[in-house]
Each structure stands twice: as structure tokens, then as C-alpha cells.
Amino acid sequence: MSILKKWLFGAVLFLLLASLITYSWVEYQMTQRAGGHTQIIEREQFSPTSGPILIENVNLLSADGLTMLPDQSILLENGKIALINPPQEHLDGLLNNPLIVDGSNKYLIPGLVDSHVHLERSPNDLLLYLANGITYIRDMGGVSEYIAWRKQIREDLIGPDIFIASEKVNSLSGIEALFNSWTRTRINVSTHEQVNELVESLVDDGFDAIKISSFINEETYHQLLDSGKAAGLPAVGHLPYSIGLNGLWHSGQTELAHVEEITKALSEDFGGYHHDRAEQYLSYVEMRSNRVARKLKEKQIAVTSSIWLMESLTRQKFALTPLLKEIALPYANPGIVEGTVLAKGWLPGHNSYQLSQETLGDPQAVERSKRFWLTYVSAIHIMTQALNNNDVLFMAGTDANTAAVVPGFSLHDELNSLTQVGLSNAQSLYSATAAPGEWMRSNTGKIESGYRADLVLLDSNPLLDINNTRSINAVFREGRMFDRAQLDAMLAEVLRVNDKARHQGINQFN
């Protein structure tokens, strides 16, 4: 072999080896950032009580969600709500004697639903959802791994049920599309044929919806929605910049994943707002909000909330440490919290929302930024009130695993935020029970005979104070009961494996 050939062979070998090392390093970093290096908890160790269950003398949330009905009895059998106030002869005819649960001075509500989560590579979060009374979640960036997780749950492994939307769909092409798909878990399609192939594969794989990106072009967007509609696959997610509100009304998209999708579109219509145009922008949102809400109602487009996350932005940018002390930080997956070289996490100095030290050192820049973000949140509040006033189908969602949004715990924060904006306690609770149950057609979200026995037994009345959704005494998932001791054991096990996986201490946030 000539010297030149040897040199070329060596160079090619070196490039291949360097590429392999780079690829492996990036994959490791991405897996770490998604929580994939934290020990997976064996969920089989938690054994719920099975068989017929009769909850007696309980205060039960009415089907319309407006009142608590006193002194009710409810029979759970074969994973369903069999009867409410069953006659004694029915109980006498059961093959097995039901377990009797004393519901005196307790309050029974439907299992809660978080309509916007990101599971990442963190299956331990499924325990956090159950322990917080959440029996159904809607993942808004799903991969085939989640299909397998759902199959295991439906076959008997404990966990909430999962509605799975695809990863975000963009319309990039070429090298940019390859890099985007690899590093940011995005799907890219740029031709009609690719759109049809994508929709066919999503249906075959068992996905429930197509997740729309903000950056998809108009032609691909309409092709995607048309193909999805023909296949019975709804389109959900963001409002693309190429579409805007006027384009949304005729699109067939069935849901917007954040209230801010609307306010961002209104900002575009306004001509863009800055800190010095805050009052004018809010007046514009106020003027347009009810008209937009009525149109959403007319077109039967649901909206998901993620209000608490938006409210947290100013604190994450300017006062991060006090915020981290308030949330259930120890329960969040350490890989997601800490981030990596390639992606920021939640902690000071490496938080994806925190302002740069340069900006924080400039009082005028800080004041401008605060005014901008406070206006941003105020616009979302105005729009939320309009959605509620015009009876738009409104679902509570948290964007769990986004910075500072702890899976499970965050839904209770979200419900509190909704009441602070102006929803009644009953309306807030409805947004996390009956509303998503209706949208997903899941036979959940109400306490009625024939509905799935996904329920939460509370020690205090959430219609008097929405924060009482935290007073969980027991959780029922398809009729199987997890008592308080079992729920505490789940939380303790999450803490144990999280502490083992930490690279950075968090004691300063306790």
C-alpha cells in the first residue's frame, strides 16, 4: 500500500472514529438531559387493593361538577363505577364481598388529568402522577417508547393512562432537518408524500394525535391536517406563525396547547409589542379577547392552560432561588433538573429561562425585561378570562418537565393559578376532570355509572378551596385502590433513586 493510500485510510478511519465518539457523546448528553440515567423504579412493588370496593357515606362530586352530594355510596367493580347508591340486594348478589371504605367526612372527585406533560425518558414520573391523584396524562411530544409504557399500564402495570401526541412536526429539509430531528426530537416533513407516510406511520404505531410546531409552513400544515383528518388523527399543539388566527378558523386544528399561542398571535396582529407599548398591547388584547374566544367556541377548538409556567417566568428570570424553594424540586428527575453541557436545566446559572449575568447587572435592562414579561403574563390572564366567560372547552395542563414544572405536583399549582385568574373552584376542577375527559372521549372525568373508576378521595372539599385537591387520602385507578401509605411509599422511592442520581446538591433549595 502506498504512503498516500495509507494516509487516506488513516484519515478516513480517524474521521469515522471521531464521528462515532461525537455521536456517542451527544447521545449520552441527550439521554442524561431527558432523565434517562436515573434508576428506573420497579412499579410492581406497589400492590393496590383489587376486587369490588364499596365507598360508603362519602361526599361525592355531582356529574356537573358544581356541588358535593352528601352521604353517597359508590360501588367499584371490574374497573368501572358499577352503581351509585347500590341497593342491598345487588350487594348481596356479588360473588365476592366488597372491601368497605369509610368515606365519612371525605370528598370523592374524578381522577385528575394533566393535559400537557412531557414524559422525557423518566418513567418514574408515572408514580408522581398517581401519588398526586392524576390518573390520566396527555403527553405532548411522544415517542414509540411511550406507546410501550402505555401498553404495559393497560396490561396491568400501575400508572396513569396516557394520551400520546407525536413529537412536534416541522417542515425543514436537508441537513438542517436531520440535525433538528436528532438533537431536538422533532419530526420534519417537506413533501406531500412525506406527510402521508408520516400520518400513516403515526396511526400504525398507535399515536393519538399530531403535534403541530410553531415553525411549520402553511402548505405543509394544511397537508398534514387534511391527511390527519382522513386518518382520524386530530391536530393539536402550537399555532404556526405562518397561519395566524385567521388561518386557524378554517384549518381543522382541534386544540391549542397553551393560552399563550393566542396572545402571541395577537401580538403579531398588533405589530409586535415592546416594554414601552405595554398598555396599548393589553388594551388591544382586551378588545380582541372575547371575539377570539367566541370564534374558538364556534369552531370547537379546545385550549390548554399552562398558566403557572408563564407566571413563573418572571421569577425564573429575576428571583429563581426563592421559586426553587417553593416547588417539589427533590421529586423532579435530577438529569432534567441539572441539564447538561448541551442543554440547560432548572438550577441557577444553568436555567433555560434565567437572564444572563450581563443583563441582570444592568438595572435599566432588568426593568425593561420585567415590564415585558409582566405584560406577557397579564395578556394571558385576560385571554384566559375571556375563554372562561365564553365557555370555550378549557383544559388544565402544566407543560410538566419544562423548567420548574414538577410532574404531578404542578397540576395542583396550575389549578390554584386558574382560580387566581378568575375561574371558580368548580370550573378549575372541571378543567382537570370532565373537560379533558370529554375532549379525549376517554369515559373518565365524571362520577357516573359506567365511567372508568379513576377517582381521588380527599380529606377536604376542593369546591371550598381548590388547594384541597392536595389533601389526598386515596387514589383509585380502574377500581384498584392505593391508600395513603402506598402513595407515600411511591414518593419515598422516587426520592431515593433521585438522590442516588444527583451530580449537584439541592439542599440549599429545601
Side-chain angles (χ1 to χ4, degrees):
M1 184 182 294
S2 69
I3 294 176
L4 179 59
K5 286 183 178 179
K6 287 181 179 180
W7 185 87
L8 288 173
F9 177 78
V12 170
L13 187 63
F14 174 80
L15 288 173
L16 287 174
L17 182 60
S19 297
L20 179 60
I21 291 172
T22 301
Y23 177 84
S24 299
W25 181 79
V26 171
E27 281 292 313
Y28 181 89
Q29 295 290 318
M30 290 169 59
T31 301
Q32 171 68 14
R33 172 59 185 83
H37 293 149
T38 300
Q39 177 189 338
I40 297 175
I41 296 169
E42 296 294 332
R43 300 204 301 279
E44 293 87 347
Q45 66 183 283
F46 306 106
S47 301
T49 302
S50 300
I53 296 175
L54 181 66
I55 308 171
E56 294 186 324
N57 306 315
V58 72
N59 297 290
L60 182 152
L61 187 68
S62 60
D64 61 12
L66 296 177
T67 58
M68 284 289 179
L69 306 175
D71 300 321
Q72 303 289 296
S73 293
I74 179 170
L75 177 65
L76 314 180
E77 191 177 18
N78 298 321
K80 299 288 184 67
I81 299 172
L83 287 170
I84 297 174
N85 297 320
Q88 187 60 46
E89 56 266 27
H90 182 90
L91 298 176
D92 293 339
L94 294 176
L95 294 177
N96 298 307
N97 292 327
L99 170 72
I100 305 298
V101 175
D102 184 8
S104 300
N105 300 315
K106 293 183 172 55
Y107 302 84
L108 192 68
I109 65 171
L112 300 172
V113 182
D114 189 333
S115 290
H116 193 142
V117 312
H118 293 281
L119 285 169
E120 302 290 352
R121 299 185 187 180
S122 187
N124 295 344
D125 293 350
L126 298 169
L127 292 173
L128 297 181
Y129 289 116
L130 269 188
N132 280 280
I134 298 165
T135 56
Y136 215 127
I137 57 177
R138 194 173 66 129
D139 185 271
M140 295 293 281
V143 294
S144 57
E145 189 175 11
Y146 304 165
I147 304 288
W149 293 358
R150 179 174 66 186
K151 183 174 184 292
Q152 292 170 348
I153 290 169
R154 290 180 176 177
E155 288 177 347
D156 213 27
L157 188 63
I158 68 168
D161 205 349
I162 313 173
F163 180 104
I164 305 172
S166 72
E167 297 169 315
K168 284 182 185 176
V169 181
N170 286 337
S171 53
L172 302 176
S173 59
I175 297 297
E176 186 181 13
L178 289 173
F179 186 78
N180 184 267
S181 297
W182 178 34
T183 60
R184 302 198 63 194
T185 59
R186 302 288 191 265
I187 299 170
N188 284 281
V189 289
S190 55
T191 68
H192 200 140
E193 183 179 29
Q194 289 175 341
V195 167
N196 290 335
E197 288 176 354
L198 170 62
V199 170
E200 183 178 346
S201 69
L202 292 176
V203 171
D204 290 344
D205 290 343
F207 286 90
D208 298 303
I210 306 165
K211 174 74 177 288
I212 301 297
S213 162
S214 298
F215 301 102
I216 192 169
N217 65 47
E218 184 175 3
E219 180 181 2
T220 305
Y221 173 80
H222 288 297
Q223 289 175 353
L224 193 60
L225 266 67
D226 289 345
S227 184
K229 182 178 180 181
L233 205 62
V236 302
H238 291 209
L239 175 56
Y241 292 109
S242 63
I243 299 301
L245 287 169
N246 288 333
L248 177 68
W249 309 138
H250 308 289
S251 69
Q253 186 167 336
T254 61
E255 183 257 9
L256 293 174
H258 313 269
V259 177
E260 69 164 330
E261 295 303 309
I262 306 169
T263 56
K264 285 192 297 186
L266 289 174
S267 176
E268 290 290 313
D269 293 349
F270 179 67
Y273 82 92
H274 304 284
H275 64 279
D276 57 350
R277 301 183 68 200
E279 292 182 4
Q280 296 95 317
Y281 170 63
L282 291 180
S283 295
Y284 181 77
V285 173
E286 188 85 56
M287 180 185 69
R288 292 280 309 274
S289 60
N290 282 297
R291 194 185 322 161
V292 169
R294 287 193 293 270
K295 200 70 175 179
L296 289 163
K297 172 74 172 177
E298 175 192 335
K299 296 297 182 178
Q300 297 183 314
I301 300 171
V303 180
T304 305
S305 59
S306 65
I307 304 296
W308 185 91
L309 171 61
M310 296 298 104
E311 292 172 338
S312 81
L313 292 184
T314 52
R315 301 188 68 189
Q316 292 198 60
K317 291 177 183 299
F318 309 110
L320 179 58
T321 296
L323 175 67
L324 293 178
K325 290 181 178 180
E326 294 176 14
I327 65 174
L329 185 63
Y331 294 97
N333 192 308
I336 297 170
V337 169
E338 294 168 3
T340 67
V341 174
L342 294 180
K344 291 185 177 182
W346 302 11
L347 301 179
H350 197 57
N351 178 282
S352 54
Y353 291 121
Q354 193 173 23
L355 294 179
S356 68
Q357 288 303 312
E358 181 181 359
T359 302
L360 289 172
D362 182 343
Q364 290 184 334
V366 168
E367 186 58 34
R368 288 194 298 268
S369 186
K370 278 185 178 179
R371 186 168 177 79
F372 178 92
W373 288 107
L374 288 172
T375 299
Y376 193 87
V377 173
S378 294
I380 289 170
H381 286 171
I382 292 168
M383 194 65 235
T384 302
Q385 292 162 356
L387 296 172
N388 184 53
N389 292 339
N390 288 278
D391 296 321
V392 175
L393 186 63
F394 188 70
M395 304 187 293
T398 65
D399 221 344
N401 275 328
T402 303
V405 186
V406 183
F409 296 89
S410 57
L411 183 63
H412 302 284
D413 296 326
E414 185 71 17
L415 295 179
N416 182 64
S417 286
L418 292 177
T419 61
Q420 296 301 311
V421 172
L423 276 69
S424 68
N425 294 328
Q427 289 169 332
S428 294
L429 190 59
Y430 192 90
S431 74
T433 53
E438 175 187 339
W439 189 90
M440 294 188 294
R441 300 177 183 175
S442 60
N443 203 35
T444 62
K446 293 183 179 181
I447 304 179
E448 289 189 324
S449 296
Y451 272 62
R452 189 187 297 180
D454 290 351
L455 305 162
V456 185
L457 188 64
L458 302 173
D459 288 328
S460 302
N461 187 351
L463 296 185
L464 297 181
D465 183 345
I466 197 62
N467 288 299
N468 288 336
T469 57
R470 305 175 196 264
S471 67
I472 298 171
N473 181 280
V475 175
F476 300 83
R477 172 76 176 96
E478 289 196 303
R480 298 180 294 173
M481 184 177 77
F482 300 89
D483 62 22
R484 186 65 255 174
Q486 290 170 315
L487 300 176
D488 287 339
M490 293 178 192
L491 294 174
E493 187 66 0
V494 172
L495 281 181
R496 184 187 69 81
V497 300
N498 281 358
D499 286 341
K500 285 177 59 179
R502 293 192 201 288
H503 295 98
Q504 300 179 47
I506 59 169
N507 289 337
Q508 67 270 36
F509 305 115
N510 292 341

